[in-house]
Amino acid sequence: MRSIVVITAAVVIAAAVAGGVVLSSPGTIQPVSSQPPSSQPPQQAQPEKITPNDIKNAPSNWAGKSVNVEGMAGKDGLLSSPYLLEDKGASLSITSKEDLDKYVGLKVQIAGIVRYNPNVFDASRTSIEIQSIKPLAGEPTFFVEIIKNGQDDKGRPTTQRDLIFDNSGKLVIYETKVKLIAQTVVTQQRMEDIRKMLLDSDIFSIQQNDYPALPAMEAMNYESFTYTIKVVLRVGNEVKETKLTWPEPANIPPELQKLQTTVNNILKVDGQ
């Protein structure tokens, strides 16, 4: 038994000596971190949450910075960049590669980059280039824009109307994006009536095609028109969008004639 104990001790001592030689060899000692290696990528700085007024009051301080901003999405038909973010009297131009019509009339949160160019005179000097946008209250359900431009046989403008209904029921009426002539709020019932008329016209089934205008049929007092309608409606669980343009008079199919009647009925009630 004593010889077995001695042999075992010798083996243990030899192993310890061998390990000590390895650990103490010059140039081979490596620092060992007590922290486990992290598999998470380094976190990026989050955009700063500010208000539109913060940017309006000191645009040069925010130029080029990433920000989070909240407000009501709006659309101004008189502007070359029509989309706006409005909050407590402040209004900021917002730009995006995405069509923003479906958000108009909703409170939204925007993450984006502030752009400021004090040398611009034909557009907004301060804007937010949108990187992401999401509704904070409500969801896209209702946006309708109707444009009807008329001209006489000499090409002079006659009937000119541009109506914009948004998700909140706000209605703005322009004379062909040249002059604001009315601003009001329609009732929820009126919004539902318009929705029903458009769906009854099968607006989402009509395909955009080229419809050459017909020549004047009368020598005097002849008036022709160009219609354009943009619609965003929630139908069931889906948000559907379409945009159609056609002249009148023209050889148009019956379904487009029905839609044209619907448009004129909406204009008769809301666009005068």
Side-chain angles (χ1 to χ4, degrees):
M1 293 297 293
R2 182 176 298 174
S3 61
I4 294 174
V5 172
V6 171
I7 293 170
T8 303
V11 170
V12 172
I13 294 170
V17 171
V21 171
V22 172
L23 292 175
S24 61
S25 299
T28 62
I29 299 176
Q30 300 292 333
V32 179
S33 172
S34 61
Q35 299 295 327
S38 175
S39 60
Q40 299 296 324
Q43 292 188 355
Q44 297 180 351
Q46 294 297 313
E48 190 168 355
K49 186 174 181 179
I50 59 176
T51 69
N53 259 319
D54 292 331
I55 300 174
K56 293 287 287 188
N57 292 336
S60 60
N61 292 345
W62 299 101
K65 294 183 179 180
S66 296
V67 296
N68 273 326
V69 195
E70 297 178 2
M72 185 74 71
K75 186 173 184 179
D76 188 331
L78 301 180
L79 301 177
S80 56
S81 297
Y83 299 111
L84 301 170
L85 185 70
E86 302 167 329
D87 180 63
K88 297 178 180 178
S91 181
L92 281 175
S93 176
I94 51 178
T95 62
S96 175
K97 295 179 180 178
E98 178 186 0
D99 186 312
L100 301 177
D101 282 343
K102 65 183 177 183
Y103 299 108
V104 175
L106 296 177
K107 185 176 182 181
V108 297
Q109 182 183 76
I110 288 173
I113 300 173
V114 178
R115 303 299 185 194
Y116 175 59
N117 185 350
N119 298 319
V120 171
F121 295 98
D122 58 349
S124 176
R125 298 180 180 184
T126 309
S127 63
I128 299 178
E129 182 182 311
I130 295 177
Q131 295 176 313
S132 67
I133 180 172
K134 66 177 181 179
L136 292 178
E139 58 182 2
T141 57
F142 186 93
F143 175 90
V144 178
E145 182 170 11
I146 295 173
I147 303 172
K148 182 182 180 182
N149 289 341
Q151 61 182 23
D152 63 19
D153 57 335
K154 300 185 185 306
R156 295 171 297 196
T158 54
T159 304
Q160 302 179 356
R161 285 293 182 271
D162 182 353
L163 280 67
I164 299 177
F165 301 83
D166 70 20
N167 286 281
S168 70
K170 180 180 177 181
L171 167 62
V172 184
I173 306 174
Y174 303 95
E175 285 189 353
T176 317
K177 300 187 176 182
V178 173
K179 178 183 177 182
L180 174 65
I181 62 173
Q183 182 171 299
T184 186
V185 176
V186 300
T187 65
Q188 188 67 36
Q189 183 59 54
R190 180 57 182 163
M191 293 169 70
E192 289 302 318
D193 291 343
I194 293 172
R195 176 196 298 275
K196 186 176 185 303
M197 285 190 289
L198 293 171
L199 292 178
D200 286 347
S201 298
D202 293 324
I203 187 169
F204 295 113
S205 299
I206 303 173
Q207 301 298 313
Q208 178 66 67
N209 292 308
D210 292 330
Y211 302 105
L214 294 176
M217 301 300 292
E218 300 175 9
M220 300 294 292
N221 299 322
Y222 174 76
E223 188 174 19
S224 60
F225 301 93
T226 299
Y227 289 84
T228 297
I229 183 168
K230 169 73 179 293
V231 176
V232 181
L233 296 178
R234 178 171 288 276
V235 183
N237 294 324
E238 183 181 1
V239 176
K240 294 188 175 185
E241 302 183 29
T242 191
K243 182 177 181 180
L244 299 166
T245 299
W246 68 96
E248 167 60 26
N251 288 322
I252 57 176
E255 59 268 24
L256 200 51
Q257 291 177 351
K258 183 177 180 180
L259 177 60
Q260 182 173 294
T261 300
T262 296
V263 167
N264 284 324
N265 287 337
I266 296 172
L267 288 167
K268 184 177 181 179
V269 174
D270 301 294
Q272 300 300 319

